[in-house]
Amino acid sequence: MFKNLSSLLIISLLYTGSFFAQTEKPKDPKLWTPEDIINTEYLSNPVFSPDGTMVIWSKRVPVKKKDKFIANLYLTRLNVKENGRYLTTQLTQSEENDYNPVFSEDGKAIYFLSSRDKGKKLWKISLYGGEAEEIEEFENGISDLQLKDKTTLLFTSKDGKTLYEQQAEERKDDVEVIEDSLHWQPSHIYAFDLDKKQTSRITSNEKPIGSFEVSHNGDWLYFTMTRSLSYGIDAQKDPYSYLVNLKTNTKKQILQDFEFPVNRVQFTADNSGFYFTSDYASDPKWNGAGITELYFYDIASAKATKVNLDWELGLGGGYTVSGNDVIASLANKATMKLAYYTKKGTSWAKSDFDLGEKNDHVSVNAVSDDGTKILYTWSTASNLPEYFIADLKKNKVSDDTVFISLNKKLKDKYLPKSEIITWKGYNDDEVTGILYYPKDYEPGKIYPFMLNIHGGPMSQDIDEWMDSWAYYPSILTQKNMFVLMPNYHGSTNHGLEYAEAIKGNYYEPELEDITKAIDKLAAEGKIDRDQMGTMGWSNGAIISTMLTVKYSDMFKVAAPGAGDVNWTSDYGTCQFGVSFDQSYFGGAPWDDTDGLPYNQNYLVKSPLFEIEKIKTPTIIFHGSEDRAVPRDQGWEYYRGLQQVGKTPVKFLWFPGQPHGLGKITHQLRKMKEEIAWIDTYLFNKKPEDNEALKEDSPLAALLKLDEASMHKGLFGDFTNGKLLPEVVLLKKDSISLGRFEVTNAQFKAFKPDFSIEAGKENYPVVTDKASAEAYVKWLSEQTGDTYRLPNAKEAENLQQKAAKAAKDQNNLNHWAGYELTPEDAALLEEKVNTLTHSLLRPVGSGKAVELETATVYDLGGNVAEYSQNANYDYSAYDYADPFNQEPVKSKHIGIRVVKE
């Protein structure tokens, strides 16, 4: 059917995610793997106890058998230390998601929510020990848990299913009603009495609750109510804001004059009011791109006052209340800048933080209720996140200490060199980006280049650790390429004009920014214009696609994920298509513009209508349940490239996945397929994986064995005319260990008169202790290096590894052919003694054993080995007792060398 590229046009439908197995350990343990990236640990959602002596927080962990990540809760006590570190206890260990922790008023217990039991239960765990206990089940669900007072918790839920909904269930009617204004059931805020175990509704809103916040003393309740069923789509009719006096049960509508929604409400310590954010833009009709501003609502005067941030770029990373004051994370282009604002009546005095070398690289996680403790994260694009606790006095931070140390397994990984770069882009404006350097960078040489373009466009890349399944510069730079994360026009953190520059002007500024960055790096002699690629997720995919349309010969590879190609279909199917497209494309598709009976932006801005220009090998990713960039955009993209037939294309479809991939297998599959695509088309390197090769097959084991050094069919290194044992490094700055037991042929190089039975040159030598000691001494003299037998501690560790590996090795258990018992082993040894054949095999005949980063053989069988003071391991004649892992008294002992 297809004449030229039929073998290159591929679509992959992901139903299991089993295509790529666990990534093989790299030869250099410092190299990053996809598993390292997705399993990186992060602290999230910390909450101080009322007295400030404890912090509860969560950490995401993988649950492989459920193919998902979940969050467990941890408690850190700031008044207790062990080995110089704060005492941290894991509170929950289920395979479900535990979240939304709330301290009891006395700080003796924690209430939390969980996905256990369909997520309908309230849980409690005592900080004095014990399992989590179920407090109450809420048939209609429970979310957004908050403490009102010592006996009352607030949450959102619904009143129950209407008769209309019940009858639909009884009919087993699974039709999804997308919008039905006649049956739009509201959610409410409810109060749960912990003593009486009673629930009461405290709001009577007719439409769904958006968000709510309760004051510290429990007297005031702020909440929003959604007004329009289509608000998420068209951003019209912003939610109403209400303030409820819970003492008098009176409610009033507030904050009616704001053109953008009210967000991030936080009450002050004295309960006199609350801070909140709202955006500002020159054209607020569609709640489009703008900057974020900070406000304070005073309850007594019922007035909102804008906090003068004295900063043109506005808020960047949000804010945190400290007593009655506020700590703001200010937008600062490619960084965030912390500032402290002291409340003085209806005005605020600004003061900067001085965190030394950490300046502009700190994000505030939490502040204690009394404003005297701060928990913060420090990271850069080249440094993994570190978490600190410190004393806080206004803008002064002191006595910083490590709060918790995560990612211990990643501490020795290569960390990419990076820097913030600037250049002149569209309209001659300054553009910023994060540039990552090749791992083995040498000035004066040019290197391949990869764009990592962020989504949004209302987002930004800043100088902080950002590796994820979507973007992973740590892996890409290992391939000796430059990686650039550009903050193109339309990004946040760069001011109002910068954010609004692409309204009605979509693509042109962004593409000019990016191509001028390429020009800059090429002019500096850094990048190879003949080896460039582009990748991105969401809006990053959208821009990557248009780059390959407008510059069809520029890129060797493209990897867009969840990107649009047809803005007309996006308008009707995207969950926010109306507001987004109206804002950026100047109206609806049917609007008469430029003398035409339609809005031509929807055509000229859609890559689909120029897709015949694309010549870049492209791999496309899309989730089947994506509504942010509707899933059929991926199909249209793929079908266009397939039918045009000018370039290789591959399409991966992730069942059940929304805009972001959540399954472990899907995240890994995306990364590994993407890396293989980049290797193939940017580096002209064939994938190392073979679809027909099973990971644990005999052929795979033989291919692994093939990596061992050999000379004329004999295992070992041939050095200075002598056959010597090959050694493998266990880990950096550690010892090396013999890959195999010393063979007969290797031993003969030491003892020329040693007799070897024909065909048994690669069998392990069996010798006495004195000869073993003499052999390692001779080996040291021959090489100038220090060789020896394992010491007592090393032998103990090797014995433990041997016992663990024994079931797959050449020992008496293997020859028995069944699960041996000590009694049967003794009887079997009598039968073995009558044999005329040897049970020994050539070295490497057993299953490979992984020790640290090294691969060794015959640990657990073939022959036992001498240590400096005894012997360890099992021979083919020895019983490996699974319930007694002590070394056995073997009669068949050989040598495994250690090299220092």
Side-chain angles (χ1 to χ4, degrees):
M1 184 176 180
F2 302 114
K3 295 181 180 178
N4 299 317
L5 294 171
S6 59
S7 64
L8 295 175
L9 300 172
I10 309 162
I11 182 168
S12 299
L13 299 180
L14 290 188
Y15 289 108
T16 64
S18 61
F19 179 82
F20 279 100
Q22 172 82 12
T23 300
E24 185 177 343
K25 288 184 179 180
K27 293 181 180 179
D28 184 349
K30 296 181 68 176
L31 294 175
W32 291 82
T33 67
E35 286 80 7
D36 292 331
I37 298 296
I38 71 165
N39 292 319
T40 302
E41 299 173 327
Y42 299 93
L43 174 151
S44 60
N45 305 312
V47 179
F48 275 93
S49 62
D51 64 0
T53 63
M54 297 177 286
V55 179
I56 189 167
W57 51 280
S58 64
K59 184 180 75 174
R60 192 193 67 159
V61 295
V63 180
K64 289 185 178 180
K65 68 180 181 181
K66 293 192 174 184
D67 196 14
K68 67 178 184 178
F69 292 93
I70 58 98
N72 285 323
L73 299 179
Y74 295 76
L75 182 76
T76 298
R77 298 181 183 272
L78 303 179
N79 55 0
V80 182
K81 283 190 174 183
E82 282 189 355
N83 300 319
R85 296 296 177 101
Y86 295 114
L87 178 63
T88 295
T89 307
Q90 184 173 344
L91 293 181
T92 64
Q93 302 184 52
S94 74
E95 294 184 348
E96 295 295 334
N97 204 38
D98 297 324
Y99 59 97
N100 198 174
V102 175
F103 276 99
S104 61
E105 191 174 72
D106 59 12
K108 295 180 179 179
I110 290 169
Y111 299 97
F112 66 96
L113 304 181
S114 176
S115 61
R116 319 175 199 191
D117 300 330
K118 299 180 180 180
K120 294 184 176 183
K121 294 180 179 179
L122 171 66
W123 298 83
K124 176 185 178 181
I125 190 165
S126 170
L127 299 186
Y128 294 101
E131 297 291 325
E133 65 173 303
E134 175 190 332
I135 299 300
E136 186 77 6
E137 181 171 3
F138 300 88
E139 185 61 33
N140 302 311
I142 176 172
S143 61
D144 198 2
L145 192 66
Q146 296 185 39
L147 183 72
K148 176 183 178 291
D149 53 50
K150 65 180 181 180
T151 62
T152 311
L153 290 169
L154 302 185
F155 62 94
T156 57
S157 187
K158 294 183 177 180
D159 288 336
K161 294 176 182 176
T162 64
L163 179 60
Y164 175 84
E165 293 170 321
Q166 293 177 41
Q167 290 175 339
E169 281 189 359
E170 291 171 1
R171 294 192 300 269
K172 296 184 178 180
D173 184 351
D174 62 354
V175 172
E176 292 186 32
V177 180
I178 304 303
E179 289 187 18
D180 181 358
S181 58
L182 298 178
H183 300 93
W184 192 24
Q185 188 182 13
S187 57
H188 301 289
I189 300 171
Y190 298 81
F192 178 71
D193 189 307
L194 293 165
D195 290 339
K196 299 178 181 178
K197 302 291 178 69
Q198 291 180 351
T199 302
S200 56
R201 188 190 316 108
I202 61 172
T203 62
S204 57
N205 45 287
E206 297 178 353
K207 295 178 180 178
I209 293 289
S211 63
F212 79 91
E213 193 74 22
V214 65
S215 64
H216 300 282
N217 62 4
D219 289 349
W220 299 98
L221 173 69
Y222 167 87
F223 73 89
T224 62
M225 183 187 74
T226 305
R227 298 166 56 202
S228 168
L229 190 63
S230 60
Y231 177 70
I233 298 163
D234 59 24
Q236 301 304 293
K237 298 183 179 179
D238 290 339
Y240 283 147
S241 292
Y242 293 95
L243 186 65
V244 180
N245 185 329
L246 294 175
K247 295 172 69 175
T248 62
N249 199 28
T250 55
K251 178 184 74 175
K252 66 178 178 180
Q253 186 180 346
I254 60 173
L255 305 176
Q256 300 177 55
D257 298 330
F258 283 80
E259 294 180 315
F260 276 83
V262 170
N263 295 304
R264 299 181 180 181
V265 167
Q266 294 183 42
F267 280 89
T268 55
D270 65 3
N271 306 290
S272 64
F274 56 83
Y275 291 95
F276 65 93
T277 63
S278 189
D279 288 354
Y280 171 79
S282 62
D283 178 15
K285 182 177 181 182
W286 302 103
N287 285 352
I291 61 171
T292 302
E293 299 178 324
L294 181 65
Y295 293 85
F296 178 77
Y297 180 83
D298 179 71
I299 295 175
S301 64
K303 291 182 179 180
T305 303
K306 184 165 74 171
V307 178
N308 180 12
L309 297 175
D310 191 23
W311 194 255
E312 185 180 359
L313 303 183
L315 277 179
Y319 74 94
T320 304
V321 170
S322 177
N324 297 325
D325 304 331
V326 65
I327 301 171
S329 180
L330 302 175
N332 195 33
K333 296 189 176 181
T335 64
M336 299 288 182
K337 183 179 181 63
L338 287 184
Y340 194 95
Y341 294 86
T342 303
K343 189 175 185 300
K344 297 181 176 181
T346 58
S347 65
W348 285 261
K350 178 185 177 183
S351 50
D352 293 330
F353 278 84
D354 185 4
L355 294 163
E357 294 181 352
K358 297 175 186 173
N359 275 344
D360 299 344
H361 296 94
V362 165
S363 59
V364 178
N365 301 109
V367 171
S368 61
D369 289 351
D370 62 4
T372 63
K373 292 283 185 183
I374 184 172
L375 174 59
Y376 67 85
T377 304
W378 172 84
S379 79
T380 72
S382 298
N383 291 276
L384 284 158
E386 296 182 19
Y387 304 95
F388 295 90
I389 192 82
D391 292 334
L392 179 67
K393 187 173 183 180
K394 298 293 183 179
N395 66 320
K396 304 297 182 183
V397 175
S398 60
D399 295 329
D400 305 47
T401 55
V402 173
F403 174 74
I404 190 73
S405 182
L406 302 179
N407 299 304
K408 294 178 182 177
K409 294 180 180 179
L410 303 179
K411 296 296 185 184
D412 293 330
K413 295 289 182 180
Y414 288 113
L415 294 174
K417 175 188 173 183
S418 64
E419 64 175 337
I420 299 171
I421 65 169
T422 62
W423 65 95
K424 294 295 184 181
Y426 171 77
N427 205 30
D428 209 33
D429 290 340
E430 182 183 79
V431 184
T432 70
I434 310 299
L435 181 68
Y436 295 83
Y437 279 70
K439 173 179 164 289
D440 300 320
Y441 174 69
E442 295 178 23
K445 291 180 63 175
I446 60 173
Y447 293 86
F449 174 71
M450 197 77 185
L451 286 166
N452 279 203
I453 306 175
H454 71 68
M458 289 291 289
S459 182
Q460 73 285 320
D461 288 318
I462 63 174
D463 190 7
E464 67 178 7
W465 187 261
M466 292 185 284
D467 283 53
S468 69
W469 59 266
Y471 305 92
Y472 38 88
S474 293
I475 290 180
L476 295 177
T477 53
Q478 289 174 175
K479 296 178 177 294
N480 275 328
M481 67 170 76
F482 275 100
V483 176
L484 176 65
M485 292 183 162
N487 287 312
Y488 51 86
H489 276 78
S491 301
T492 53
N493 246 44
H494 291 67
L496 181 60
E497 289 186 12
Y498 199 88
E500 292 190 320
I502 64 172
K503 287 184 177 179
N505 195 28
Y506 206 71
Y507 287 123
E508 286 80 7
E510 303 99 295
L511 267 59
E512 184 174 340
D513 291 340
I514 290 169
T515 54
K516 284 186 174 179
I518 292 172
D519 292 342
K520 167 188 168 67
L521 295 173
E524 292 174 351
K526 286 186 170 72
I527 65 172
D528 183 355
R529 282 187 177 274
D530 293 327
Q531 271 191 294
M532 300 198 303
T534 182
M535 61 185 282
W537 198 264
S538 193
N539 201 68
I542 292 168
I543 295 176
S544 288
T545 302
M546 190 58 88
L547 281 167
T548 63
V549 169
K550 298 299 184 183
Y551 305 95
S552 57
D553 295 316
M554 182 175 285
F555 300 98
K556 293 293 189 290
V557 66
D564 279 285
V565 293
N566 184 350
W567 292 111
T568 303
S569 56
D570 178 88
Y571 184 94
T573 56
C574 172
Q575 65 186 16
F576 48 82
V578 175
S579 60
F580 186 95
D581 297 353
Q582 287 267 10
S583 180
Y584 287 114
F585 301 130
W590 51 80
D591 286 345
D592 299 347
T593 58
D594 300 322
L596 298 171
Y598 55 86
N599 185 340
Q600 64 176 342
N601 275 333
Y602 283 83
L603 299 179
V604 299
K605 302 287 187 180
S606 293
L608 182 66
F609 300 104
E610 297 183 87
I611 210 162
E612 77 282 359
K613 296 179 180 178
I614 295 178
K615 294 188 287 184
T616 305
T618 303
I619 185 168
I620 302 165
F621 307 100
H622 227 110
S624 71
E625 304 305 311
D626 194 343
R627 288 292 316 283
V629 176
R631 62 185 191 178
D632 290 337
Q633 296 289 331
W635 277 104
E636 293 183 49
Y637 197 173
Y638 169 73
R639 190 64 69 211
L641 290 177
Q642 181 212 44
Q643 290 297 304
V644 170
K646 287 184 178 180
T647 186
V649 58
K650 190 171 186 178
F651 179 23
L652 275 79
W653 176 260
F654 298 89
Q657 296 298 281
H659 192 52
L661 304 181
K663 287 189 174 182
I664 298 170
T665 51
H666 288 175
Q667 291 184 5
L668 290 175
R669 179 72 180 270
K670 182 264 183 187
M671 293 179 71
K672 294 176 183 181
E673 290 270 10
E674 195 167 44
I675 291 168
W677 195 262
I678 292 169
D679 282 343
T680 300
Y681 293 104
L682 191 63
F683 295 102
N684 296 316
K685 178 183 175 183
K686 290 184 178 180
E688 295 179 0
D689 295 291
N690 186 304
E691 295 180 11
L693 181 65
K694 191 170 184 289
E695 184 182 10
D696 58 352
S697 65
L699 178 57
L702 190 60
L703 288 168
K704 186 75 175 175
L705 185 61
D706 247 11
E707 297 175 5
S709 296
M710 295 194 80
H711 175 70
K712 295 182 178 181
L714 301 176
F715 285 113
D717 290 324
F718 195 70
T719 305
N720 297 327
K722 298 185 184 298
L723 188 67
L724 307 179
E726 179 193 5
V727 294
V728 286
L729 183 67
L730 295 188
K731 61 181 180 179
K732 184 183 177 183
D733 300 327
S734 179
I735 61 170
S736 294
L737 190 70
R739 186 187 291 275
F740 306 106
E741 297 154 332
V742 172
T743 66
N744 287 325
Q746 293 166 4
F747 194 75
K748 188 175 178 64
F750 154 68
K751 191 174 182 180
D753 61 350
F754 180 67
S755 177
I756 304 175
E757 184 180 338
K760 293 192 175 181
E761 290 82 1
N762 279 329
Y763 279 57
V765 67
V766 176
T767 187
D768 56 53
K769 178 72 174 292
S771 296
E773 291 173 336
Y775 178 79
V776 293
K777 181 180 179 182
W778 170 83
L779 197 57
S780 299
E781 293 170 350
Q782 292 293 313
T783 62
D785 296 315
T786 301
Y787 284 83
R788 57 177 173 80
L789 300 176
N791 60 35
K793 183 63 177 177
E794 291 162 350
E796 180 183 350
N797 291 334
L798 288 169
Q799 175 62 34
Q800 291 175 0
K801 294 289 186 181
K804 188 174 182 180
K807 65 178 181 179
D808 297 312
Q809 304 299 326
N810 181 25
N811 46 48
L812 189 62
N813 307 53
H814 163 75
W815 290 106
Y818 63 92
E819 295 290 335
L820 265 182
T821 64
E823 293 77 16
D824 282 349
L827 293 173
L828 200 60
E829 286 172 0
E830 295 177 7
K831 198 69 176 175
V832 167
N833 290 334
T834 67
L835 276 175
T836 58
H837 292 82
S838 173
L839 297 185
L840 301 184
R841 289 178 169 181
V843 297
S845 297
K847 187 175 181 180
V849 178
E850 301 296 328
L851 292 180
E852 302 288 347
T853 61
T855 301
V856 301
Y857 291 86
D858 303 309
L859 191 61
N862 227 7
V863 295
E865 292 112 30
Y866 289 110
S867 65
Q868 292 177 1
N869 61 332
N871 66 273
Y872 64 95
D873 204 353
Y874 311 97
S875 78
Y877 297 83
D878 300 328
Y879 169 53
D881 188 342
F883 301 106
N884 182 3
Q885 298 182 359
E886 294 297 316
V888 298
K889 294 181 179 179
S890 182
K891 297 178 181 179
H892 300 79
I893 309 177
I895 310 167
R896 191 183 298 270
V897 301
V898 171
K899 177 186 173 184
E900 292 185 343

